[in-house]
Amino acid sequence: MIEIKGLSKFYGDIKVLDDISLEIKEGEIYGLVGRSGAGKSTLLRCINRLEDFQSGSLKVDGVEVRDLEGTKLREFRKNIGMIFQNFSLMQRRSVYENIALPMECWGYNKDEIDKRVRELAEVVEITDKLSSKPRELSGGQQQRVAIARALSLNPKILLSDEATSALDPKTTDSILSLLKRINRNLGITIVIVAHQMSVIKRVCDKVSVLDKGKIALNGKVEDVFLHKQDEIREIFGGANKIALPSTGINIRIIVPEEGESNRIISKMAQILNVDFSIPVANIEQFKERTMALFVINVECENFNKVAEFLDYQNVTWEVVENE
């Protein structure tokens, strides 16, 4: 649905996007994550042509975005909804009027507007707030209004620019659950910009990690965050770096947190009768899947025995170094 090839953008002499190439398929929730200034919000705004770019190609449904002007650009943007960090609601208008605004601008009749507003109020669970003004609502409720407004024209794509970064953790969870439900029930493709990796893990199918205007990592969310941890720590400045034992061999083990798979460590201890320590044990949530991640440290003479056991159990594992 969205195909980007060799896209570069400059602000004056500064290159803010450098040879970006990625593909977002219809119905996916795709994440763009990186440190501040990495270029992720700029890339998002290129998708709906709020930002122009100097070279490369960006196609949506096979249409080259750079070629659109005037009425064609306006029609194109009708199919792309956008939500922002600061909600961007009109404070003098009621919730009902904020949701209705895009439809009013496009000349929808009152009956169509009323039906759509009330449908969306149910979707985002604010039916009791339609007569309220934005200042009377919590941050999470205001973001729900903004999401309903972004959906009012039945877009094919929803762009989210740091939509949860101003919210508390509990409210963030509720908004992310809402976005997943919208994607699942309405089939809308969603592109999410975030600097919080936890947001990307919770909702996205695929991710691109941007660093200094370039794509440093991309792929399925589980693959990137489980198997590229050293690269991610380097990009984000070594955050949450854990010192592993400097002797023996450190093995990272990844298993689904379900059924017998979450007992692999105890089973290994019972069957192999070898000593090992567990310097790392985490649970990671990836959209609808929960994964357990362990790092165990074994003595060198026991490594082959442990590796053969893990292979026999069809467990994903890799050796990790302590830097």
Side-chain angles (χ1 to χ4, degrees), residues 102-121:
M103 291 179 283
E104 292 174 357
C105 293
W106 278 89
Y108 285 53
N109 66 51
K110 289 185 177 180
D111 289 341
E112 288 179 301
I113 291 174
D114 186 69
K115 180 181 178 182
R116 184 64 176 159
V117 168
R118 296 185 187 282
E119 286 175 349
L120 290 170

Side-chain angles (χ1 to χ4, degrees), residues 1-4 7 17 22 24 30 32 40-53 58-60 63-66 68 73 76-77 79-82 157-160 189-193:
M1 170 168 267
I2 301 172
E3 187 178 8
I4 303 173
L7 185 148
L17 295 175
L22 61 88
I24 302 172
Y30 199 101
L32 301 173
K40 52 192 184 296
S41 291
T42 301
L43 178 58
L44 189 80
R45 291 165 182 261
C46 287
I47 294 175
N48 61 0
R49 267 285 300 280
L50 288 178
E51 295 273 4
D52 285 317
F53 50 94
L58 196 161
K59 293 181 179 180
V60 177
V63 176
E64 181 59 63
V65 173
R66 284 180 69 187
L68 299 174
L73 179 58
F76 166 77
R77 286 178 175 156
N79 286 317
I80 302 180
M82 191 163 186
I157 298 169
L158 181 63
L159 306 180
S160 171
T189 303
I190 302 178
V191 186
I192 294 178
V193 159

Side-chain angles (χ1 to χ4, degrees), residues 138-141 144 164 167-176:
S138 67
Q141 289 169 334
R144 287 172 182 270
T164 60
L167 304 176
D168 62 80
K170 185 176 180 180
T171 305
T172 292
D173 285 345
S174 70
I175 294 298
L176 295 180

Side-chain angles (χ1 to χ4, degrees), residues 75-90:
E75 288 280 353
F76 166 77
R77 286 178 175 156
K78 184 180 180 183
N79 286 317
I80 302 180
M82 191 163 186
I83 52 178
F84 305 88
Q85 176 181 349
N86 62 358
F87 319 133
S88 298
L89 300 176
M90 299 185 71

Side-chain angles (χ1 to χ4, degrees), residues 131-240:
S131 61
S132 301
K133 295 293 179 62
R135 64 177 176 271
E136 300 170 26
L137 306 181
S138 67
Q141 289 169 334
Q142 290 188 61
Q143 195 58 280
R144 287 172 182 270
V145 177
I147 292 170
R149 182 187 57 192
L151 296 174
S152 62
L153 299 177
N154 286 303
K156 295 181 179 179
I157 298 169
L158 181 63
L159 306 180
S160 171
D161 191 4
E162 301 277 12
T164 60
S165 62
L167 304 176
D168 62 80
K170 185 176 180 180
T171 305
T172 292
D173 285 345
S174 70
I175 294 298
L176 295 180
S177 295
L178 173 60
L179 292 177
K180 286 195 292 184
R181 192 164 68 249
I182 289 169
N183 169 258
R184 182 175 60 248
N185 295 343
L186 304 181
I188 294 175
T189 303
I190 302 178
V191 186
I192 294 178
V193 159
H195 65 268
Q196 303 154 297
M197 289 183 285
S198 59
V199 169
I200 302 300
K201 292 177 185 178
R202 280 284 311 278
V203 298
C204 294
D205 302 299
K206 294 180 182 176
V207 63
S208 287
V209 181
L210 274 71
D211 185 35
K212 299 176 182 177
K214 296 184 177 182
I215 293 181
L217 301 167
N218 69 345
K220 293 182 179 180
V221 171
E222 290 181 26
D223 293 341
V224 170
F225 286 107
L226 289 177
H227 300 293
K228 303 292 183 180
Q229 292 190 354
D230 294 339
E231 293 92 331
I232 288 173
R233 289 192 185 100
E234 183 176 344
I235 292 168
F236 286 90
N240 301 319

